Amino acid sequence: MAEFDRGPTDAFAELFSRVPDPPDEQAFWFDWGPIFYRGRLDGSARLLVVASDPGATERIAGRTLVGDAGQRVQGFLGKLGLTRSYVCLNAWAYAVHPSSAEEMKDRLDDTAQLKWRNEVFGKAVGPALQAVVAMGFMAQEAVRLWDDRPQQAVLAKVPHPSSHDPVALVNGWRSAVTTLRAVIDADEDGDNTGPNYGEVFEESDYRPIPRRDLPFGVPAFLGDDAWVRAKGTGHPNSVSRPAPDDGHTLLWKAPD
């Protein structure tokens, strides 16, 4: 039987349905709607990954962190020996325009956003949680505002997977892997003894998104953009938002 994500429980679906509208719709790709999670929502996660906001590929998949950035995150999880015991969430459920990112960071403490987001964070994890990784400044602010973050969980702050500073990115992730390998128990089918990151990010540091993290029936290439990166065009995702109508148009390319 093929593995796939059957979606949130009724309780999580109800919670997700209560997501507040962003404080400034013009700062977000609002019309594309919210994206909420990827991974385990049943409290079994040993690691919670918090990133900033979903991208275009995430809209296609209906799951977060599945595009190029998500495939980098999957490689990070693999280096920790995690094949399933993780959950990925975001500071914002709606995609933020990059030009508005700093301004929206200062709106993460808006009352409705703060209450809803912290409820999601708290409900998504349980006693098994061993670490929280906050990826990028938006995620780090959201985690800072999470007042009842489980204190048994080690907090690691690292650059966002789409960071424009490749040196800081690979150095930060290498250091986090070293630290977290001593903290997080690997899954039975995982291996946390393999190579850490080198001096630059390599294709071998990516991993495809597992089928168990995606809805039933998505095409086999969704969650694996190695074929796009191999072209070296500078745009590493199979899904893009074309200007000037990026608020209402997505382009999705299949492999040749």
Side-chain angles (χ1 to χ4, degrees), residues 9-253:
T9 62
D10 289 347
F12 266 106
E14 190 278 330
L15 175 55
F16 291 156
S17 73
R18 292 191 276 112
V19 60
D21 287 346
D24 178 1
E25 293 182 8
Q26 298 304 310
F28 295 79
W29 278 282
F30 179 72
D31 290 347
W32 287 109
I35 303 296
F36 298 106
Y37 78 101
R38 178 166 70 83
R40 315 286 84 75
L41 290 172
D42 59 3
S44 66
R46 299 188 190 111
L47 174 64
L48 166 61
V49 173
V50 180
S52 59
D53 62 299
T57 309
E58 284 69 29
R59 177 64 278 166
I60 294 290
R63 300 293 183 271
T64 199
L65 285 173
V66 298
D68 181 76
Q71 292 157 44
R72 284 187 168 188
V73 170
Q74 201 63 35
F76 179 88
L77 297 171
K79 291 179 188 296
L80 299 177
L82 294 177
T83 61
R84 65 183 68 227
S85 299
Y86 54 81
V87 62
C88 303
L89 303 171
N90 277 317
W92 291 104
Y94 289 85
V96 183
H97 289 292
S99 60
S100 300
E102 286 286 351
E103 180 185 359
M104 289 304 102
K105 179 178 77 71
D106 294 335
R107 302 297 299 273
L108 286 169
D109 62 353
D110 280 18
T111 301
Q113 297 293 334
L114 180 64
K115 182 177 183 298
W116 178 84
R117 186 179 61 249
N118 285 352
E119 187 176 354
V120 171
F121 284 3
K123 189 175 180 61
V125 299
L129 188 70
Q130 296 174 321
V132 176
V133 177
M135 296 188 161
F137 68 87
M138 193 82 79
Q140 290 161 19
E141 178 66 4
V143 171
R144 186 187 72 81
L145 293 167
W146 184 14
D147 291 337
D148 57 350
R149 177 172 59 85
Q151 293 306 299
Q152 85 276 5
V154 171
L155 174 60
K157 300 177 183 180
V158 301
H160 191 274
S162 297
S163 170
H164 296 300
D165 186 339
V167 174
L169 172 61
V170 77
N171 288 344
W173 282 31
R174 185 192 312 112
S175 177
V177 166
T178 299
T179 298
L180 294 174
R181 279 177 169 174
V183 172
I184 299 174
D185 297 323
D187 285 322
E188 289 185 1
D189 58 345
D191 178 13
N192 62 3
T193 65
N196 201 335
Y197 295 98
E199 295 303 312
V200 297
F201 225 102
E202 304 283 359
E203 181 62 34
S204 59
D205 294 318
Y206 286 86
R207 288 201 182 180
I209 306 304
R211 297 293 97 183
R212 70 175 68 94
D213 285 3
L214 298 171
F216 181 82
V218 299
F221 69 87
L222 183 63
D224 185 0
D225 289 316
W227 64 278
V228 183
R229 293 188 291 271
K231 292 184 176 183
T233 60
H235 182 78
N237 291 290
S238 61
V239 186
S240 60
R241 296 186 179 102
D245 194 34
D246 56 341
H248 301 94
T249 302
L250 293 179
L251 291 179
W252 189 16
K253 295 285 189 179

